[in-house]
Amino acid sequence: MFKYTLKRLLAGVITVWFIATATFVAMHAVPGDPLLNDKAVTPEIRRNLEEKYGLDKPVFTQYLIYMGNMLQGDFGISFTQQNRRVNDIIRDHFPVSAMLGLLAIFFATAGGIVWGALTATYRNRAPDVVIMFLVILGISVPSFVFAALGQLLLVNINSWVGYSLIPVAGWGTIRHMLMPALVLGLGTMALLTRLMRSTMLDIVNADYIRTAKAKGLSPLRIFFRHQLRNAILPVVTILGPQIAAITTGGFVVELVFAIPGLGRYFVQAVQQLDYTVIMGTTVFYGAFLVLMVITVDIIYGYIDPRVQLE
Amino acid sequence: MLQCRVLNSPPVVYRMYCRIILALSLCCGFTSAAAIAQIEATSVDFKNQKITIALAQEPPQLNPLKATDQVSFFILGHVSEGLLRYDRRGRLAPGVAEKWEMDETGATFWLRKNARWSDGLPVTAHDFVFAWREAVAPITASEYAFVLFPIKNGEKINTGALDKSELGVTAIDDYTLKVEFERPCAYFLKLTAFGTYFPVRQDFYENRGERYAADVEDMLYNGPFRLAEWVHSASLKMVKNENYWNRESITLTEIDAAYITTDTTARLNLFKDGKIALTGLDSETIKDALNQKYRIRKFTTGSVFYLEFNFRDGRLTANLNLRRAMQVVFDPNELVNKVLATPGNLPGYSLFPVWLDGVEGKFRKEFPAKRINIDIEEGRRLVALARQELNLETIPPLILLVGDSPTAAKQAEYLQGLFKTTLDLDLKIDIQTFKQRLAKMTAGEFDIVAAGWGPDFNDIMTFGDLMASWNLNNRGRYNNPRYDELVRRAQNSTDPQVRMEAMAEVQNIIIDDVVILPEYEQAVVYLQHPKLKGVVRRIVGQDPDYTYARVVQ
């Protein structure tokens, strides 16, 4: 077990190093110049800026310096916010994204499991058809459409009740989080519903369920003890990458609901060629994703005793 | 500041979806005007004189020496003050300086003794000397250093030829500031109201180092307001500065920028929900706002948008007849009414916008810009002439470089259609994101670029020297000794008649030589809560200006 974890972590470190290198290369290969701005500057000022950010050195030297600093946990200074360190940006804004993401994951898994179980139970009957239609909608419609619609819905609810029941946008209280988290989790919820449905259907016809029925167990007991526990395994598998995807993919939701999350920095940095923020957020998220996958694999062993961690 | 920047604008696809949603919501009767009116607005608080607003983005740089963007200057204009300031009617008024004298060689400012920093210490002449020296010092790498070039040795220090102590500014004593000019500067007083001229206190600045202005406690304030709370990317609260010398004339106790988002639909929703007191509209949200029967307000930003030609050797656009051909078929009026289609924009006829002052009245009244008659036959003749001169069978496609905003794409398509149908000229549209577009502009990889320019100070020279051969923002590398000479003449004189006549000739050169094709003078449309009064929209300086605003019952 310990050896396994260690091995996975080592592989994870190599993955992160690879992500960092690939991002570094891609970033420098993209046309454009991070130091260019509306106002053209004199060559002297340009030289000073290049010196400040180390861009006056050859790219490979820049790479070595960057990797060296990164190993010491220093991601450098942002290009667009020249008095903020990338470390501070991640520290300030990741907790927001994480909080929103966790709530979204909670909505997604709770919804996915319930709807999935429901569709499997009522296979090919009205509830199944309706829910599966909604699921297809949930998977195919992008989150920014849901975000805009969700916000519009809040505006109308508030004007109907006559006061701000649920805030339209902003950040601070749990009420602010409800709608954005729901919107953010919708895609994952739809995905999980489908997954849950198909695994449930496999299991319904399995031998051990028939045995359980034959033994005279109550349907509820069969459902919770035997069906759900087995059906949930694939859900856990995809949950790891999904958590990472949700906490990183919140750009549009963060924009629409004016939420100060890291997703906004992640996307805007690319638009503005903010080298240090691109590197910092990508490496951070990469590491986060790797860690999530490893965690899920380890948890897997506990849920399903048949899985041997070796 | 240059206005063509489209920071963080959501992708076109996203906008398209918004349009669909809007249509959907209208169909479902989702938004009914009657229901909306019921919400009681929390954005304006009469009892406490507090207002809530939204910002389009987090201010990237609140260090006045380095700030370049509109949001940062908006905040800085409320929490800091220069020697002079603009009053509620937009006229120059005393700020930290209570009186001043100016002649061709320099200026002297006498500072008021009751101007204080937020920590209680007085604002002195030394704070200005320090700030201005730092701003031009090459090590600071300020992109706005050029606005200090009218001060003696400013440019030489900035290029590294002289030490920053050589700057022509001295503190005679704590409350007297003497400025020497590099050359006569008719508009110097206006410059002292600009952000880069704001004072900075040395001991505090050096103590904070790299982190200066990174957070509330890393800054000092000497303006009508001070920052009280700043949660990055989430909110920013300004409260009345009790140390401000003129605090009696300030009514608002708090300006709470409680939301930060570039999404105009989200901001309109916040406005509908009574959460913010003012919001700008774009071509999509304006339809919704009209449906709500809100009062739509207009404001001309003072920026001019135009097509800039590439004059580098070997570029087809270096040919005068080719440029003339495009000039005689392009009607800015049609662009404004049919393509932009939001209210308020003025068709562009000159590099100089209509609001600029002339000798006594407005420049464009005194020296009207020549109008070009639309003449497609003439255009075709000119293209044929250009083909002969260039020795070409057909003119190969010209590259039109534009930004990635929805409006830019719409304009580009309009121009493509226009030049094809009238002149049989092909345009190849090159849509680029902000930084990539700048890189191509700088490298000269375009034939025509859609560009824009916004004023930095309230004088004709903020536009006048744009196409001078030495100006780095002259991206097409237009080079005309006569143009340069006229700019120098206007720069070296303080006589309005001499200056404006020189600029009138510049205006003619730009039209005759087709240096640019003016497109439009930009306007913005916005909503403002009816109980919020006294908000000043400014062409130069912080905009919108809430300094003298108040909430009525």
Side-chain angles (χ1 to χ4, degrees):
Chain A
M1 176 66 202
F2 176 75
K3 212 175 134 197
Y4 172 80
T5 314
L6 207 67
K7 234 161 77 186
R8 287 301 304 269
L9 280 177
L10 198 70
V13 170
I14 295 171
T15 314
V16 172
W17 168 78
F18 185 77
I19 292 171
T21 310
T23 314
F24 192 90
V25 172
M27 187 173 80
H28 282 272
V30 166
D33 181 336
L35 294 180
L36 279 181
N37 235 324
D38 286 334
K39 283 270 172 346
V41 295
T42 57
E44 291 75 21
I45 291 185
R46 177 151 185 111
R47 264 202 301 279
N48 281 311
L49 282 171
E50 280 178 353
E51 209 174 300
K52 176 175 174 180
Y53 289 105
L55 296 182
D56 50 345
K57 299 182 181 68
V59 174
F60 189 68
T61 318
Q62 286 181 44
Y63 172 75
L64 291 181
I65 293 173
Y66 189 86
M67 286 297 166
N69 289 339
M70 202 179 78
L71 280 179
Q72 295 162 37
D74 178 10
F75 286 123
I77 303 166
S78 161
F79 280 66
T80 38
Q81 291 182 290
Q82 291 180 15
N83 44 23
R84 276 185 95 195
R85 308 200 67 79
V86 179
N87 294 43
D88 293 342
I89 291 178
I90 295 175
R91 197 200 53 218
D92 287 352
H93 302 289
F94 180 65
V96 174
S97 289
M99 180 102 95
L100 186 68
L102 280 180
L103 196 60
I105 285 290
F106 171 76
F107 281 147
T109 35
I113 290 169
V114 171
W115 298 127
L118 221 62
T119 47
T121 319
Y122 293 95
R123 179 149 78 128
N124 292 339
R125 278 152 62 195
D128 182 28
V129 176
V130 172
I131 293 172
M132 285 322 282
F133 173 74
L134 292 178
V135 160
I136 289 175
L137 217 61
I139 290 176
S140 49
V141 178
S143 69
F144 46 80
V145 176
F146 285 125
L149 280 174
Q151 194 175 50
L152 208 56
L153 185 69
L154 288 185
V155 172
N156 285 283
I157 291 176
N158 287 349
S159 72
W160 185 65
V161 298
Y163 66 97
S164 269
L165 186 69
I166 301 170
V168 166
W171 189 248
T173 66
I174 185 85
R175 286 191 309 148
H176 287 97
M177 299 175 204
L178 293 176
M179 185 54 93
L182 195 67
V183 167
L184 193 57
L186 270 182
T188 309
M189 190 195 285
L191 200 71
L192 291 181
T193 307
R194 258 171 56 153
L195 197 67
M196 191 68 193
R197 180 178 182 268
S198 60
T199 45
M200 268 307 237
L201 286 179
D202 285 345
I203 290 163
V204 167
N205 299 322
D207 290 345
Y208 61 90
I209 299 292
R210 203 173 47 222
T211 314
K213 276 184 189 159
K215 269 170 41 183
L217 286 182
S218 76
L220 271 183
R221 199 178 157 84
I222 295 175
F223 179 79
F224 282 108
R225 289 295 294 270
H226 299 286
Q227 273 171 278
L228 200 60
R229 185 157 179 201
N230 283 294
I232 217 162
L233 270 173
V235 173
V236 175
T237 317
I238 69 155
L239 214 52
Q242 282 295 319
I243 288 177
I246 275 189
T247 40
T248 55
F251 166 62
V252 175
V253 172
E254 286 174 10
L255 208 62
V256 170
F257 291 97
I259 294 166
L262 195 54
R264 272 158 97 173
Y265 285 86
F266 190 47
V267 175
Q268 283 166 6
V270 179
Q271 289 172 350
Q272 294 166 11
L273 275 190
D274 191 333
Y275 280 178
T276 43
V277 178
I278 294 177
M279 284 304 288
T281 48
T282 314
V283 168
F284 177 78
Y285 273 140
F288 184 65
L289 176 67
V290 166
L291 207 65
M292 275 300 146
V293 172
I294 296 175
T295 314
V296 164
D297 283 351
I298 293 168
I299 289 176
Y300 216 80
Y302 286 99
I303 298 180
D304 188 348
R306 288 172 302 184
V307 176
Q308 291 295 316
L309 295 182
E310 201 40 67
Chain B
M1 55 214 91
L2 203 65
Q3 307 265 337
C4 48
R5 152 185 239 176
V6 198
L7 261 190
N8 320 329
S9 82
V12 182
V13 195
Y14 171 58
R15 291 282 155 161
M16 261 169 50
Y17 272 103
C18 286
R19 203 177 302 177
I20 297 168
I21 290 163
L22 197 71
L24 269 176
S25 62
L26 290 176
C27 292
C28 311
F30 231 176
T31 47
S32 71
I36 299 299
Q38 291 174 1
I39 285 245
E40 205 194 320
T42 50
S43 60
V44 283
D45 179 348
F46 170 72
K47 212 178 105 217
N48 300 310
Q49 287 295 319
K50 280 159 62 167
I51 61 166
T52 311
I53 55 167
L55 295 179
Q57 64 169 102
E58 158 116 340
Q61 182 56 275
L62 285 185
N63 178 351
L65 309 178
K66 294 186 188 180
T68 56
D69 65 290
Q70 250 179 324
V71 179
S72 300
F73 280 132
F74 162 76
I75 303 287
L76 280 170
H78 286 87
V79 300
S80 314
E81 186 176 63
L83 290 169
L84 273 70
R85 62 176 300 114
Y86 288 104
D87 69 6
R88 62 189 81 202
R89 290 211 185 85
R91 297 168 308 193
L92 274 182
V96 175
E98 50 185 1
K99 56 183 174 121
W100 51 86
E101 260 169 21
M102 190 177 97
D103 58 30
E104 301 229 321
T105 60
T108 309
F109 297 88
W110 286 274
L111 277 54
R112 65 182 74 250
K113 302 218 162 61
N114 57 350
R116 280 175 198 288
W117 291 104
S118 44
D119 64 355
L121 291 178
V123 180
T124 67
H126 306 286
D127 302 332
F128 287 93
V129 175
F130 173 73
W132 297 2
R133 280 182 182 168
E134 285 301 306
V136 290
I139 192 72
T140 311
S142 169
E143 289 171 40
Y144 259 104
F146 74 92
V147 295
L148 291 121
F149 287 178
I151 303 172
K152 192 172 176 191
N153 294 335
E155 192 163 2
K156 290 185 196 108
I157 295 165
N158 197 239
T159 54
L162 287 174
D163 185 71
K164 63 181 176 187
S165 59
E166 304 281 327
L167 188 70
V169 57
T170 34
I172 306 263
D173 57 50
D174 280 0
Y175 297 100
T176 319
L177 186 73
K178 198 167 157 42
V179 185
E180 285 172 87
F181 293 160
E182 182 74 37
R183 64 179 90 90
C185 182
Y187 51 91
F188 188 77
L189 291 178
K190 293 166 181 168
L191 289 180
T192 61
F194 188 72
T196 318
Y197 278 81
F198 287 170
V200 170
R201 208 172 75 203
Q202 185 171 8
D203 62 326
F204 191 86
Y205 189 81
E206 283 169 355
N207 173 279
R208 287 302 192 270
E210 279 284 320
R211 280 197 54 80
Y212 183 79
D215 264 306
V216 171
E217 64 277 8
D218 297 319
M219 250 180 113
L220 280 182
Y221 313 96
N222 75 321
F225 298 90
R226 64 182 169 81
L227 285 190
E229 224 180 277
W230 183 5
V231 184
H232 286 286
S233 284
S235 64
L236 196 145
K237 194 181 277 180
M238 293 184 273
V239 298
K240 188 172 171 177
N241 181 2
E242 289 306 329
N243 278 313
Y244 182 54
W245 63 271
N246 196 14
R247 56 193 164 273
E248 281 80 25
S249 68
I250 309 300
T251 317
L252 285 187
T253 59
E254 190 179 304
I255 305 168
D256 185 9
Y259 308 92
I260 299 179
T261 175
T262 44
D263 187 15
T264 48
T265 314
R267 293 210 300 268
L268 177 60
N269 283 335
L270 283 165
F271 185 86
K272 283 186 198 168
D273 204 38
K275 287 286 182 294
I276 57 173
L278 190 143
T279 185
L281 301 168
D282 58 18
S283 54
E284 299 306 324
T285 43
I286 191 171
K287 291 169 199 155
D288 194 6
L290 283 168
N291 277 319
Q292 307 287 332
K293 304 208 163 41
Y294 286 131
R295 181 181 157 201
I296 312 260
R297 295 163 190 254
K298 283 180 289 194
F299 162 67
T300 27
T301 62
S303 301
V304 178
F305 287 80
Y306 48 83
L307 300 174
E308 191 169 348
F309 294 105
N310 196 344
F311 291 86
R312 286 172 179 79
D313 287 339
R315 286 284 168 180
L316 296 174
T317 38
N319 180 285
L320 176 62
N321 284 321
L322 186 62
R323 297 198 305 274
R324 273 208 181 124
M326 289 187 249
Q327 188 181 38
V328 295
V329 297
F330 174 69
D331 181 5
N333 212 19
E334 189 173 273
L335 177 90
V336 165
N337 291 320
K338 293 198 180 146
V339 184
L340 299 175
T342 48
N345 295 305
L346 303 172
Y349 295 109
S350 166
L351 174 64
F352 300 119
V354 290
W355 56 271
L356 285 173
D357 290 330
V359 183
E360 270 155 9
K362 296 290 173 199
F363 175 81
R364 286 275 296 279
K365 280 260 155 54
E366 291 167 352
F367 305 95
K370 239 185 266 176
R371 287 293 167 90
I372 305 294
N373 287 325
I374 303 302
D375 187 344
I376 294 169
E377 283 311 309
E378 173 70 3
R380 289 193 180 134
R381 195 185 67 79
L382 287 165
V383 171
L385 212 59
R387 263 207 316 266
Q388 259 177 24
E389 286 169 1
L390 293 164
N391 220 350
L392 287 169
E393 283 281 303
T394 49
I395 307 252
L398 299 174
I399 298 163
L400 172 64
L401 179 62
V402 295
D404 62 348
S405 77
T407 344
K410 225 161 65 173
Q411 277 179 59
E413 281 161 23
Y414 165 74
L415 292 167
Q416 194 178 37
L418 178 78
F419 292 148
K420 181 73 192 168
T421 50
T422 53
L423 304 175
D424 200 26
L425 268 185
D426 283 310
L427 285 191
K428 215 175 118 198
I429 300 173
D430 184 9
I431 296 181
Q432 293 291 342
T433 57
F434 179 61
K435 295 276 178 184
Q436 273 89 334
R437 188 171 125 271
L438 278 170
K440 289 198 158 185
M441 277 171 85
T442 312
E445 289 167 23
F446 64 91
D447 290 306
I448 309 168
V449 59
W453 193 256
D456 290 315
F457 46 91
N458 185 3
D459 184 83
I460 197 160
M461 198 44 78
T462 193
F463 288 95
D465 68 352
L466 198 54
M467 299 298 154
S469 60
W470 62 81
N471 195 323
L472 293 167
N473 293 302
N474 171 2
R475 313 274 186 177
R477 294 277 182 278
Y478 177 69
N479 190 342
N480 180 347
R482 178 68 189 156
Y483 187 111
D484 292 356
E485 190 191 322
L486 288 163
V487 171
R488 283 297 182 213
R489 184 188 297 171
Q491 278 180 337
N492 288 323
S493 166
T494 50
D495 179 1
Q497 192 68 37
V498 174
R499 300 184 71 230
M500 294 308 150
E501 271 169 17
M503 284 297 116
E505 200 184 327
V506 160
Q507 179 170 258
N508 285 339
I509 290 179
I510 289 170
I511 297 169
D512 293 341
D513 223 3
V514 204
V515 183
I516 58 164
L517 274 188
E519 291 186 300
Y520 61 97
E521 293 182 27
Q522 186 199 35
V524 290
V525 277
Y526 65 102
L527 303 172
Q528 186 179 325
H529 196 282
K531 284 186 183 169
L532 174 62
K533 304 279 186 201
V535 179
V536 187
R537 299 303 305 253
R538 291 190 196 291
I539 286 173
V540 284
Q542 68 271 25
D543 173 66
D545 186 353
Y546 295 102
T547 309
Y548 305 107
R550 63 193 190 282
V551 180
V552 297
Q553 208 160 12

